[in-house]
């Protein structure tokens, strides 16, 4: 058991005892023989008062070249196998039950808890699943689990979590026709693979007839055929053969093949099979006839029975089940594992893929057509006037104007994705500003903006600005964005690289409440468009399957963050939804090891999270009283921002001034990085207005611009001038320049009027000149 010391201690504490094995120690096993290697060195290990090795003695023995064996105490059992086909079945059971699995030199051992007195001590038996296993029962004999030259635990389960030996691994019931038939099927399969049934091409049809004549139902026959044919088992062929045989049986006709199956076994002297034929014929009939009388429920029916008590519902697209305060998608792996695990625990039956799929289709049909329609959210939800934050573990934080609490039985609100991890419990007594101990923000005023944004991220349904962390290498912007991600939407995936296509981006946006894109160097137009739409609220349609025309609609409103060295946003529509936070390089004398910084953040995280909920609760009381004379862009965020700023101890005017200053800086950034905008500003320098046609304007601007081949901010032709100007029009307006391209195309071209609103000129002069130009253009 080559694990960490604390793992070994846990096993020692429940009665396991360590002892030295000879291994390949030169003094005890000079020949390097494997059987010798497994032999104990220590004497008296079979006595009850044998103490075994301590942790220090284990370490010393391993350094000396000994192997370490483990004496298994009463109440435990090991299922041992070296048969590859048995190991496949055992691995499936191990995955379902989470037992401990140890590799041996030729096979595997599976450790379970077991106090069953009827299990033989060490001889091989056929289990209820139909295949042979070798038990090592600790309470009936001493059992040593030997290490295997360094290759030991494939799956190590803590002692208190070891499962009970499942029913399917108990010795088969000789009076149960199905279990005996499974044992027969295993033996037929073994002889079939050895070639002893070669030349008998219709063995499946003959064996089918034999099983039907003995009263087995279709589910039992499927289980038998899986044991016979293993990887070549064909579900569709088996169903078809059963259907034909059933039709013959119902019409009073004889089934062909049953007699020839028995005769062939006898003629070939296959005693390994023949001895079971008599048992099948003489044991009690636990199955059913084809007419359905006294039919035992099928595995699919059992799975449906297991699922029905749970609340089944839908979101108009998929079916879901509410299980242990968790929303599980019916066609998802978690729900599949849940119901098959219960089936296995209750009946000892392992459900096959076909039975599972049949059951899931029926269960989802019930959810879609009989269940309630429920709107499901990702991480945040507004429900009956309260904000709910999904903790990711079946609980939620409920935030109201009166305060916040952890709700251990929240309403059905959230669906989760595999990447999401549970949030730590929040604690009271912290401050939101503590987050800035882990950030190197350049402008002190940006702290107010970021603190407001951080709290606002916990408000569902409003439009949240994209927060853009910009700074040079070594400024800590990526780690700062990661910390915010872990506060808001903790995930195994911290920050993302830029997606390569639109579909990949939409999938990411659908599955994350807060999407953080790291080290962005270029934003293609399609990327910018999807981000803009997802921030304000948008959706995407795609076919559910390639074989039909049914659509799946993805609809979401998401929070987005980016980190970059330079400003990569060139589209004004995305910039209008953004707030830029500058980061400065960290002083080398102030730099910390990342592991230390993460540990400090994790220690402070519960109180920062609690402070966020405190601020949000206070803001919910203030928000109804906030009145603004003029609403800027992102109006909902701005009003909430004023309430949050007051909740954090600031004045709302401080927030608005900082917010507008950030907006102004963004426009300056766009203009300074846009060749077309720079050319228009040069053109209007010292003049109140410009009148002319699009073609003339393009020629004049091109003379003023220094355009490189890679520059995409200046149009390549005059017919693209309108589209380029529309993208930067809000930025030019911020600079006082209004460009108006007429929607009407005249004979000579399209008229353009440019006004410099920051140029002082008399009204009469302007009006006279406008009249002259208008007459000329007409």
């Amino acid at each position: 058991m080559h694990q960490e010391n604390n793992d070994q201690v846990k096993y020692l504490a429940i009665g396991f005892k360590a002892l030295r094995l000879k291994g390949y120690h030169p003094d005890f096993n000079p020949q390097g023989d494997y059987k010798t290697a497994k032999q104990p060195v220590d004497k008296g290990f079979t006595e009850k008062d044998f103490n075994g090795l301590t942790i220090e003695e284990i370490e010393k023995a391993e350094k000396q070249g000994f192997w370490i064996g483990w004496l298994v105490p009463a109440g435990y059992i090991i299922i041992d196998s070296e048969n590859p086909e048995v190991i496949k079945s055992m691995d499936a059971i191990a995955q379902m039950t989470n037992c401990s699995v140890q590799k041996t030199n030729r096979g595997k051992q599976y450790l379970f808890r077991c106090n069953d007195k009827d299990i033989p001590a060490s001889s091989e038996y056929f289990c209820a699943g139909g295949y042979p296993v070798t038990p090592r029962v600790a309470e009936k004999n001493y059992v040593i689990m030997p290490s295997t030259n360094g290759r030991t635990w494939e799956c190590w389960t803590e002692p208190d979590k070891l499962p009970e030996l499942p029913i399917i691994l108990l010795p088969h019931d000789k009076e149960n026709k199905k279990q005996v038939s499974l044992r027969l099927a295993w033996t037929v399969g073994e002889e079939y693979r050895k070639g002893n049934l070669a030349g008998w091409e219709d063995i499946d049809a003959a064996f089918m007839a034999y099983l039907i004549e003995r009263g087995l139902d279709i589910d039992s026959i499927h289980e038998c055929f899986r044991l016979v044919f293993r990887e070549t088992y064909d579900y569709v062929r088996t169903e078809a053969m059963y259907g034909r045989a059933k039709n013959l049986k119902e019409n009073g006709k004889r089934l062909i093949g049953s007699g020839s199956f028995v005769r062939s076994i006898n003629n070939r002297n296959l005693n390994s099979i023949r001895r079971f034929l008599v048992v099948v014929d003489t044991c009690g009939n636990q199955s059913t006839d084809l007419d359905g009388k006294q039919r035992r429920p099928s595995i699919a029916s059992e799975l449906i029975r297991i699922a029905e008590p749970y609340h089944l519902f839908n979101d108009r697209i998929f079916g879901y089940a509410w299980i242990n305060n968790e929303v599980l998608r019916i066609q998802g792996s978690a729900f599949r594992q849940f119901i098959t695990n219960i089936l296995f625990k209750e009946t000892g039956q392992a459900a096959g893929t076909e039975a599972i799929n049949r059951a899931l289709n029926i269960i989802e049909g019930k959810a879609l057509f009989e269940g309630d329609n429920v709107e499901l959210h990702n991480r945040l939800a507004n429900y009956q006037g309260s904000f709910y934050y999904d903790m990711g573990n079946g609980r939620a934080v409920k935030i109201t104007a009166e305060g916040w609490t952890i709700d251990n039985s929240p309403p059905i609100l959230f669906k989760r994705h595999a990447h999401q991890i549970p949030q730590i419990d929040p604690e009271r007594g912290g401050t939101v500003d503590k987050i800035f101990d882990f950030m190197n923000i350049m402008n002190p005023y940006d702290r107010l903006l970021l603190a407001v944004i951080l709290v606002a991220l916990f408000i569902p349904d409003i439009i949240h600005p994209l927060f853009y962390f910009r700074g040079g290498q070594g400024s800590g912007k990526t780690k700062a964005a990661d910390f915010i991600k872990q506060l808001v939407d903790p995930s195994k995936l911290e920050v993302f690289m830029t997606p390569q296509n639109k579909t990949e981006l939409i999938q990411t946006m659908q599955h994350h409440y807060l999407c953080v894109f790291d080290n962005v160097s270029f934003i293609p137009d399609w990327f910018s468009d999807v981000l803009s739409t997802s921030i304000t609220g948008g959706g995407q349609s795609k076919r559910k399957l390639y074989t039909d025309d049914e659509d799946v609609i993805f609809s979401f409103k998401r929070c987005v963050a980016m980190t970059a060295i330079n400003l990569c946003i060139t589209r004004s529509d995305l910039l209008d939804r953004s707030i830029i936070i500058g980061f400065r390089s960290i002083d080398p004398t102030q730099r910390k090891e990342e592991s230390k910084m993460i540990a400090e953040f994790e220690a402070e995280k519960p109180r920062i999270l609690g402070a966020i909920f405190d601020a949000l609760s206070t803001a919910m009381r203030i928000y109804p009283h906030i009145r603004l004379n003029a609403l800027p862009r992102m109006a909902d965020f701005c009003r909430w921002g004023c309430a949050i700023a007051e909740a954090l101890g600031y004045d709302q005017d401080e927030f608005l001034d900082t917010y507008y200053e950030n907006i102004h800086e963004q426009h300056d950034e766009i203009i300074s990085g846009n060749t077309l905008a720079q050319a228009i500003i040069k053109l209007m320098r010292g003049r109140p207005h410009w009148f002319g046609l699009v073609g003339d304007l393009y020629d004049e601007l091109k003379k003023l611009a220094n355009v490189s081949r890679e520059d995409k901010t200046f149009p390549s032709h005059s017919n693209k001038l309108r589209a380029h100007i529309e993208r930067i029009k809000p930025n030019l307006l911020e600079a006082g320049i209004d460009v108006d391209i007429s929607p009407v195309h005249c004979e000579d071209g399209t008229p353009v009027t440019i006004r410099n609103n920051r140029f002082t000129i008399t009204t009469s002069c302007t009006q006279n000149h406008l009249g002259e130009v208008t007459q000329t253009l007409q």
Side-chain angles (χ1 to χ4, degrees), residues 586-623:
I586 300 173
D587 188 326
T589 61
Q590 302 297 317
R591 192 176 296 279
K592 296 181 180 179
E593 295 179 2
E594 183 171 318
S595 58
K596 183 178 180 181
M597 185 168 63
I598 292 174
E600 291 176 357
F601 171 75
E602 290 297 328
E604 292 293 338
K605 181 179 174 182
R607 288 180 290 278
I608 296 174
L609 195 60
I612 290 172
F613 294 140
D614 287 335
L616 181 54
S617 176
T618 304
M620 292 173 75
R621 294 197 298 272
I622 298 172
Y623 178 77

Side-chain angles (χ1 to χ4, degrees), residues 59-212:
E59 293 176 349
K60 181 179 178 181
E62 287 179 328
K63 290 178 180 178
Q64 293 173 341
F66 293 105
W67 289 5
I68 303 299
W70 290 83
L71 283 168
V72 181
Y76 295 88
I77 184 173
I78 291 172
I79 301 297
D80 197 352
S81 182
E82 296 180 355
N83 187 313
E85 296 298 332
V86 173
I87 288 174
K88 289 178 184 178
S89 298
M90 289 298 303
D91 281 345
I93 293 173
Q95 186 176 9
M96 193 174 299
T97 61
N98 193 33
C99 69
S100 288
V101 182
Q102 182 189 31
K103 290 183 178 179
T104 64
N105 217 40
R106 298 182 180 87
K108 291 184 182 181
Q109 296 175 336
Y110 304 82
L111 178 64
F112 299 91
R113 289 186 291 114
C114 181
N115 288 302
D116 195 308
K117 305 297 182 182
D118 296 328
I119 297 179
S122 60
S123 60
E124 181 181 86
Y125 64 72
F126 274 85
C127 67
Y131 41 86
V133 296
T134 302
R136 309 292 184 192
V137 185
E139 61 188 319
K140 296 186 177 181
N141 205 339
Y142 68 85
V143 177
I144 299 177
M145 292 189 303
S147 59
T148 314
N149 206 16
R151 301 188 310 276
T152 53
W153 294 98
E154 180 179 278
C155 175
W156 186 86
T157 302
E158 293 190 7
D160 59 343
K161 296 180 181 178
L162 279 173
E164 291 278 359
L165 183 72
I167 296 172
I168 197 172
L169 293 179
L170 292 174
H172 81 287
D173 183 356
K174 297 178 181 179
E175 297 299 321
N176 185 300
K177 181 164 289 188
K178 175 186 173 181
Q179 293 187 19
V180 176
S181 298
L182 290 173
R183 182 176 177 179
L184 168 64
W186 174 272
T187 311
V188 169
E190 290 288 282
E191 297 293 346
Y192 177 67
R193 270 174 290 284
K194 291 176 183 177
N196 293 333
L197 296 174
W200 195 8
E201 297 179 358
D202 59 347
I203 181 176
D204 49 358
F207 192 42
M208 169 77 74
Y210 174 84
L211 295 176
I212 289 175

Side-chain angles (χ1 to χ4, degrees), residues 463-494:
I463 298 173
H464 299 85
L466 181 155
F467 55 97
Y468 192 100
F469 286 175
R470 184 180 63 172
Q473 294 179 349
S475 59
K477 57 187 182 297
T478 296
K479 186 50 65 177
D482 173 40
F483 286 156
I484 292 180
K485 171 72 173 174
Q486 297 309 318
L487 273 170
V488 179
D489 187 21
S491 169
K492 298 174 186 176
L493 306 172
E494 298 172 348

